[in-house]
Amino acid sequence: MAQNIVTEATPYRTRPTMPPVLRGFLWAAIGFLVLNMATIAVDPFRGHPFITEISAVIGWVGGVIGWLLGVGGWEGVVLPLFGVPNPWVAAPGWRKYLELSTEHKVIGIQYLISSTGTFGIAGLLAMGIRYELMQPSLHFFTYPDQYLTAVGVHGTLMMFAVGTVALVGGLGNYMVPLMIGAKGTVFPRLSGIGHWLVPAGVLTVIFSPLFGYWTTGWRGYEPLASQDPSGIIYYYLGVAALTLSSTCVAVNLAATIVFHRSNGVTWARLPLFVWGILTVSLLNLIWLPEIQMTFVLGLLDRLVPFNFFDAIGSPLNYLSLFWLFGHPEVYIVVVPALALWNEIIPVMAQKSLFGRSWAVIGLIFVMMLSGLVWAHHMFTNMRNSEMFPFSFFTEMISIPTGFSFLAAIGTLWKSRYRLFTPGLLVIMSMFNFLVGGLTGVFLADPPVNLEVHNTFFVVAHFHYTIIGGMVFTWVAAMYYWIPKLSGRMYNEFWGKLLAIVIFIGFNGAFSQMFLLGLHGMNRWVPAYPPYLKPMNYEVSLFAFLLGAGFIGHGIHLWWTWVKGPVTPDNPWNGRTLEWLTTSPPPPENFNGEVLVTGSFYRYDIDKPAAVLHPPE
Amino acid sequence: MGEVVGFVVVWIILSLLAEWGLSAVKAHTLYDVIASQGFLAERAFNFLATWLTPVFVFVVVYLIYVLIRFHAPNGKPERSRSQFIRNKGFVAFWVGFSFFVNILFWLHPTSADLEQMFASDMPSRNHGDLIVDVTARQWEWIFSYPQYKVTQAVNHLGEDELELPVGRKVEFVMRSYDPFHTYDVYAGVIHDFWIPAFGTKEDVIPGITRYEYIRPTVLASYKTNPMVRVQCAEVCGPGHPWMEAPVSIVTPSHFSKWIKHQQTLEAHAGG
């Protein structure tokens, strides 16, 4: 927000003495050492090493605080809290992405960079996993727990730093205020500090193996976690930082949507993507604290130690607590993607959105039902009587999910659909998510589930929903909005070619995993019976193609950002508010007051949905 | 209207072709099944696949149809002449069909099969089962046959093995703990007892005794079919991939011989 940024020459120091990220690392190290030593000092059992499991936890808290203050939290959050104005001028150029910011567009780009970087790291781990699985025995990883740690870090990062973050913290932060005609967000400092929890969490998870390989995968199942070496602690803590970041985003964006809509943006006119972000924010506000408390229990179970989740307590409690969050989580990932389909399709088709209210009802009912289905992850270990309600709700949730297809299909009928890269990727994403959704119906049936649970059938199913649904839509949305983010246009040939590459790579790899699962390939194995090798070998080849395709998209989007040809403000002829302003938008989003008078999704009306009154 | 009829005709023809393709592979959708519960799962799988095939074909044909029939040839923003935002008939069909099909699936196969599954677990239906005690530890499956006083069945290499007579119902009594380290509460983790060809699996959880009832109906052996193996299906630490054991489904007479052999082995063990 502008009031936090001093734009004129001031008597204050205008720049920190060292780059904020560097200072962040330094202060993190200091914070860690201070709290670590404080813990050691009060340790009643002297003679422990300098870093113990307990001091590592408390030291980590100091490290994160140091990091947040170092990247700009001291000047941007703490000093203003005590009435001292922020002495910083926002850095010019690319440097503003490497320090605390309070402007939602900068924060959005920061989240996108963090998510993309994490996607690259976790994707490389996936390549390592697939390389290992080209042979039926250990040949790439040295130890099986090394492989299991790779799987765990891959899953943890992809879920908590990419799936939950890219469309919400990234595009949500950037686009939601623009789409509702707001000049900023309600809690800009909270939002700014929230982003810097992502690198903290990601680094914590990436370096967790230094404290010992943990073997549980991203779910941290007990009692196995109690047995694991200390690395598991940094899994809990890394996830704590990442989920806290998403909580900040949820608070900020939900409040912004409720309180900062411009004149005429009524609930009935609210754009689809904004509905998606609002429902996801509510899901985040309900379920992220739940998983954080679960991980606190897991951590205490280990450190104290309690016996919450072992044979003396109840392992099943941990499973329920985990999936109580874990299943809403997949809707947290995919609901913004479903909303984006119906944001992009009407623009590409230049046709009025069909059944808008059904599309919104679908998102809301998915949100509400998603908390009632968790135990379908536990058909192999629950009481028989519990199978009825959970299979019922799991089958029913496909109905509101289908409403997104209903609206998209109705809109596409008899349209003049422009097959630009975003349009093509949305169609591909619909196909992929269809496969993911329909295989979910099989998994909802307990007798079938009992055979394919914990096999590659499930691995294929959820990658179809998450890569196929969310990541494909993320790429589509990046192509759709890159002209708005940068004022520049991508290359249509490369965009389409790379879209086809990832489509072939993705489907080639994951469709065969269904067959592998049905043929007896279980999960979490760096070694498997040799009869499964040929198909695994093929899957890996397609997976490498997929990885190369994603790298290609990254390079192409980067090229667009830096060197793409300059494009007009509204290249797609869209009607939503982000297209009303310049590309990229000015610091306060709109040069004037926005007044919305019509629907964003009616292409039978010539009058624009909104007007921009220039400042007087 | 002509457009709708054309699409529906294409959809019906391709759905019929897809159903024909499905019917050709129906006997092997779960690859190899050799036990009662597996046939139940395979029938449910095929029932769902039969109903979902036209749904899948509908959306796929539709998306391809859009790419061919409804794309703007030159990429210029051009508004369609038909700008409808609602169509009661289509919405009623869509919502009605999705409620119908989901409730159908919950009644059949889900509820019908669950009733059948639960009934086969009832004590009254399980007199005279072959009882096999299954102990899961990191990382080994131990099979005991208490009715025959066999505490740990092994093959000629001393590896754990599971052998069952064809056609006789089996009651697996499953526990997860380490019989060699009973003092260590952290030694027990969740395992999962899975024989892929049986078509079902069940978690083995520390602190709980769990049961699985199943009737193998086909002669089979790990030697000829690698799906006839016990495989741990829940991650249980670094040894997880190797937590497997060979299974053989044999004739009753062969089974009696095998049991006698196991009893002889145990009688001489430690001697």
Side-chain angles (χ1 to χ4, degrees):
Chain A
M1 287 294 286
Q3 64 264 31
N4 300 326
I5 301 163
V6 184
T7 48
E8 296 154 19
T10 62
Y12 299 110
R13 184 162 58 85
T14 52
R15 294 294 312 153
T17 45
M18 74 169 91
V21 172
L22 199 59
R23 195 181 71 173
F25 280 114
L26 183 66
W27 288 16
I30 295 169
F32 181 91
L33 285 175
V34 168
L35 286 199
N36 183 71
M37 286 191 288
T39 314
I40 295 294
V42 297
D43 188 346
F45 305 103
R46 301 244 177 209
H48 282 175
F50 180 62
I51 296 175
T52 65
E53 283 196 349
I54 294 167
S55 78
V57 171
I58 296 170
W60 178 86
V61 174
V64 170
I65 292 171
W67 164 254
L68 294 178
L69 295 179
V71 294
W74 175 249
E75 289 86 353
V77 177
V78 176
L79 290 184
L81 264 179
F82 294 99
V84 182
N86 181 356
W88 281 16
V89 174
W94 57 270
R95 282 196 179 82
K96 65 172 175 282
Y97 299 116
L98 292 179
E99 64 181 33
L100 182 91
S101 173
T102 49
E103 192 195 325
H104 70 91
K105 296 190 286 299
V106 175
I107 297 168
I109 301 278
Q110 287 175 338
Y111 268 111
L112 283 173
I113 293 169
S114 295
S115 264
T116 309
T118 310
F119 185 70
I121 295 164
L124 271 179
L125 285 170
M127 298 294 107
I129 292 165
R130 278 321 314 177
Y131 185 70
E132 171 61 59
L133 293 178
M134 288 176 95
Q135 300 292 341
S137 56
L138 269 179
H139 66 107
F140 177 59
F141 291 101
T142 315
Y143 307 107
D145 26 1
Q146 214 171 30
Y147 172 88
L148 290 172
T149 307
V151 174
V153 173
H154 163 80
T156 308
L157 292 181
M158 284 296 194
M159 290 311 277
F160 292 107
V162 180
T164 318
V165 170
L167 293 183
V168 188
L171 289 173
N173 254 319
Y174 196 104
M175 285 298 163
V176 161
L178 283 168
M179 294 178 94
I180 59 175
K183 301 201 165 180
T185 58
V186 174
F187 303 116
R189 290 188 201 119
L190 176 76
S191 173
I193 206 84
H195 162 263
W196 291 99
L197 285 162
V198 174
V202 168
L203 292 173
T204 307
V205 175
I206 287 175
F207 289 110
S208 63
L210 291 178
F211 286 74
Y213 297 127
W214 44 285
T215 61
T216 60
W218 83 288
R219 311 163 310 169
Y221 266 19
E222 297 277 8
L224 185 60
S226 309
Q227 254 188 17
D228 270 343
S230 313
I232 190 83
I233 288 178
Y234 278 3
Y235 153 79
Y236 293 131
L237 295 175
V239 173
L242 292 168
T243 47
L244 194 59
S245 171
S246 287
T247 312
C248 296
V249 175
V251 170
N252 182 39
L253 289 185
T256 304
I257 293 164
V258 173
F259 296 112
H260 271 198
R261 282 168 290 129
S262 88
N263 281 335
V265 186
T266 59
W267 288 105
R269 284 180 184 150
L270 203 65
L272 260 286
F273 181 59
V274 179
W275 269 114
I277 294 295
L278 182 64
T279 45
V280 165
S281 296
L282 295 176
L283 277 177
N284 275 335
L285 289 175
I286 297 167
W287 297 114
L288 292 180
E290 193 273 331
I291 193 65
Q292 287 167 342
M293 286 317 299
T294 303
F295 281 7
V296 167
L297 291 178
L299 194 60
L300 291 176
D301 199 30
R302 177 190 189 83
L303 293 181
V304 173
F306 290 113
N307 291 293
F308 292 143
F309 301 127
D310 58 23
I312 298 171
S314 166
L316 287 183
N317 285 356
Y318 179 85
L319 272 57
S320 261
L321 288 169
F322 181 83
W323 288 113
L324 197 52
F325 149 84
H327 203 78
E329 162 70 8
V330 305
Y331 290 99
I332 290 168
V333 173
V334 92
V335 156
L338 299 178
L340 273 169
W341 294 352
N342 290 317
E343 199 65 56
I344 296 175
I345 285 174
V347 179
M348 288 297 142
Q350 293 292 297
K351 185 161 169 286
S352 304
L353 177 60
F354 178 84
R356 181 185 178 281
S357 45
W358 287 98
V360 174
I361 289 169
L363 300 179
I364 293 172
F365 270 81
V366 164
M367 175 192 93
M368 298 201 301
L369 281 175
S370 70
L372 301 174
V373 301
W374 80 89
H376 67 221
H377 296 264
M378 300 169 61
F379 284 145
T380 51
N381 52 46
M382 62 169 45
R383 285 198 302 269
N384 287 345
S385 55
E386 289 163 354
M387 289 183 180
F388 284 105
F390 286 109
S391 62
F392 178 79
F393 286 118
T394 305
E395 274 156 17
M396 290 306 131
I397 203 166
S398 64
I399 297 172
T401 313
F403 291 171
S404 291
F405 278 92
L406 167 72
I409 280 175
T411 311
L412 286 166
W413 186 252
K414 287 192 175 175
S415 65
R416 308 285 287 163
Y417 195 66
R418 293 176 295 163
L419 265 184
F420 294 127
T421 308
L424 182 63
L425 279 161
V426 167
I427 299 277
M428 288 172 171
S429 178
M430 286 177 68
F431 171 82
N432 297 336
F433 193 79
L434 174 75
V435 175
L438 292 185
T439 49
V441 179
F442 291 91
L443 288 166
D445 180 58
V448 177
N449 183 292
L450 292 180
E451 168 63 352
V452 293
H453 177 80
N454 272 351
T455 70
F456 266 51
F457 189 93
V458 175
V459 178
H461 158 74
F462 71 75
H463 282 88
Y464 258 95
T465 59
I466 291 177
I467 300 184
M470 178 266 174
V471 177
F472 269 69
T473 306
W474 178 24
V475 181
M478 288 311 295
Y479 280 110
Y480 177 67
W481 275 324
I482 193 89
K484 181 53 58 186
L485 265 58
S486 65
R488 294 171 189 276
M489 190 51 109
Y490 62 88
N491 180 291
E492 197 57 59
F493 170 78
W494 283 105
K496 277 212 191 83
L497 180 74
L498 289 167
I500 291 166
V501 168
I502 59 171
F503 187 73
I504 292 171
F506 171 75
N507 279 286
F510 289 95
S511 65
Q512 298 193 80
M513 285 192 193
F514 288 119
L515 300 176
L516 276 173
L518 292 170
H519 208 176
M521 173 92 184
N522 54 325
R523 299 176 63 186
W524 300 294
V525 286
Y528 52 82
Y531 75 101
L532 296 165
K533 178 187 164 175
M535 203 178 268
N536 264 308
Y537 199 89
E538 282 168 35
V539 167
S540 293
L541 294 180
F542 279 109
F544 299 147
L545 182 68
L546 178 64
F550 279 130
I551 292 172
H553 277 296
I555 294 171
H556 182 212
L557 286 165
W558 179 255
W559 169 85
T560 306
W561 177 273
V562 181
K563 283 219 167 107
V566 173
T567 179
D569 288 341
N570 187 0
W572 308 123
N573 204 27
R575 286 172 63 86
T576 34
L577 290 177
E578 78 272 26
W579 302 112
L580 195 66
T581 184
T582 54
S583 300
E588 294 226 308
N589 292 346
F590 300 93
N591 287 320
E593 289 302 316
V594 178
L595 179 64
V596 177
T597 54
S599 165
F600 297 125
Y601 301 103
R602 293 292 294 271
Y603 284 86
D604 50 344
I605 299 167
D606 284 327
K607 203 166 87 110
V611 285
L612 187 61
H613 292 297
E616 284 153 17
Chain B
M1 203 60 200
E3 197 81 62
V4 177
V5 174
F7 171 77
V8 169
V9 169
V10 175
W11 170 39
I12 290 174
I13 290 171
L14 289 177
S15 293
L16 289 173
L17 279 175
E19 293 287 7
W20 175 77
L22 176 67
S23 67
V25 297
K26 258 184 183 168
H28 299 290
T29 40
L30 299 189
Y31 287 83
D32 297 300
V33 177
I34 59 163
S36 50
Q37 183 67 29
F39 291 110
L40 194 78
E42 189 169 63
R43 276 198 304 276
F45 189 96
N46 289 338
F47 182 88
L48 294 170
T50 306
W51 276 83
L52 292 176
T53 295
V55 179
F56 177 71
V57 173
F58 176 86
V59 180
V60 174
V61 169
Y62 189 91
L63 295 177
I64 295 170
Y65 203 83
V66 166
L67 297 181
I68 296 170
R69 289 279 300 150
F70 300 140
H71 79 279
N74 53 11
K76 292 235 168 64
E78 192 186 338
R79 289 177 183 180
S80 164
R81 276 190 300 280
S82 59
Q83 289 284 353
F84 55 91
I85 56 168
R86 56 178 71 85
N87 180 326
K88 277 188 189 144
F90 177 62
V91 170
F93 169 72
W94 183 286
V95 177
F97 182 77
S98 44
F99 268 96
F100 164 75
V101 86
N102 279 294
I103 290 170
L104 167 72
F105 286 168
W106 188 67
L107 294 173
H108 181 89
T110 300
S111 297
D113 286 355
L114 282 180
E115 288 296 351
Q116 203 174 327
M117 205 174 106
F118 299 165
S120 79
D121 292 358
M122 283 158 71
S124 58
R125 302 224 178 179
N126 290 290
H127 296 300
D129 290 357
L130 172 66
I131 295 174
V132 179
D133 286 344
V134 177
T135 306
R137 67 181 279 263
Q138 282 171 317
W139 293 274
E140 182 185 16
W141 295 102
I142 300 170
F143 307 104
S144 321
Y145 294 74
Q147 291 151 323
Y148 299 97
K149 309 225 167 5
V150 172
T151 50
Q152 184 170 7
V154 290
N155 67 11
H156 65 287
L157 296 171
E159 296 164 345
D160 295 287
E161 87 173 324
L162 177 64
E163 193 154 319
L164 302 170
V166 69
R168 181 161 170 201
K169 203 160 176 188
V170 186
E171 175 182 324
F172 291 107
V173 181
M174 306 186 291
R175 286 181 299 168
S176 168
Y177 73 106
D178 192 332
F180 311 121
H181 302 92
T182 44
Y183 50 85
D184 182 354
V185 290
Y186 296 116
V189 301
I190 301 175
H191 298 279
D192 191 299
F193 180 71
W194 183 37
I195 298 166
F198 275 14
T200 191
K201 64 169 67 66
E202 202 162 327
D203 279 8
V204 192
I205 297 168
I208 307 179
T209 303
R210 309 194 79 226
Y211 301 85
E212 182 179 308
Y213 301 88
I214 205 157
R215 189 192 304 275
T217 55
V218 182
L219 290 173
S221 163
Y222 178 65
K223 292 192 186 86
T224 52
N225 183 353
M227 285 183 76
V228 190
R229 69 182 195 274
V230 178
Q231 172 78 61
C232 179
E234 183 59 72
V235 63
C236 55
H240 169 59
W242 298 281
M243 191 167 160
E244 50 190 9
V247 179
S248 305
I249 313 299
V250 297
T251 57
S253 61
H254 189 288
F255 179 72
S256 332
K257 262 191 262 170
W258 179 81
I259 280 288
K260 285 215 179 68
H261 174 62
Q262 293 297 331
Q263 287 165 336
T264 323
L265 278 179
E266 296 207 346
H268 293 90

